[in-house]
Amino acid sequence: MRYSTKLIGTAMILATVTACGSQQPMATAPAAGGDSAAPSGSVTTSPASPTSTPAPGKPQFQVPAGSVPVPAGKLDAAALPKQYPREVYTGNGGTILVVRAEEGGCGHALGQAVEQTAQHVVVDLSETKAKPGQMCTMDLRHPVISVALAAPLGERTVVLEKSPPR
């Protein structure tokens, strides 16, 4: 009886250790849905391979290859909180802004070109609200999002603003 108890106990411990050791590590970024980029200037939280433009689906954390940084002199981020990222790139001949945004927990980064003049483009950054009663993690992510412009950026200044979650 003692022998079978030890044998069963050892088998259970061995099975537990084997099962724990074979688990796949968790992904560093959770899957998230996003909105499709539309000509109105709405944003996408989207992934893409480094050589493509962002597509709807999961958040993208790498700036697409071929994106050109907006010079610091053409970026006005004074309205953003101190800790908020300040990275903006152009893509697709200047008709797409690729903006480093901020999201956390259940939220997903949003952005929209709310004003486009001959002198500047105003981009409003926000994130989605969690559903009432939904439990969310307290993590902070900085994905890149795409904002469609009506015309190439050219020499215009990019003005970044942040609004409350929607």
Side-chain angles (χ1 to χ4, degrees):
M1 184 74 167
R2 282 186 173 167
Y3 177 73
S4 52
T5 304
K6 286 182 183 180
L7 185 60
I8 291 171
T10 303
M12 289 176 61
I13 291 171
L14 191 57
T16 303
V17 169
T18 304
C20 291
S22 67
Q23 289 181 347
Q24 296 295 327
M26 289 178 44
T28 57
D35 301 325
S36 313
S40 67
S42 62
V43 166
T44 305
T45 313
S46 9
S49 65
T51 58
S52 67
T53 26
K58 299 175 189 170
Q60 175 181 340
F61 294 93
Q62 298 295 322
V63 175
S67 298
V68 179
V70 172
K74 293 291 181 180
L75 181 61
D76 178 359
L80 293 180
K82 186 179 177 180
Q83 77 285 358
Y84 207 91
R86 287 158 166 73
E87 286 181 47
V88 181
Y89 303 84
T90 59
N92 198 31
T95 60
I96 301 286
L97 288 180
V98 179
V99 181
R100 177 81 55 193
E102 185 173 272
E103 65 184 21
C106 299
H108 302 290
L110 302 172
Q112 183 176 9
V114 293
E115 184 180 335
Q116 299 185 49
T117 69
Q119 292 77 31
H120 65 268
V121 173
V122 178
V123 177
D124 178 50
L125 300 170
S126 184
E127 70 177 292
T128 58
K129 281 185 184 178
K131 295 174 186 170
Q134 182 179 9
M135 294 182 68
C136 301
T137 60
M138 292 187 67
D139 62 325
L140 196 58
R141 300 176 300 272
H142 294 105
V144 291
I145 57 176
S146 298
V147 178
L149 299 179
L153 181 63
E155 293 299 312
R156 297 186 287 175
T157 299
V158 177
V159 180
L160 300 178
E161 297 178 345
K162 183 167 179 359
S163 61
R166 307 177 207 181

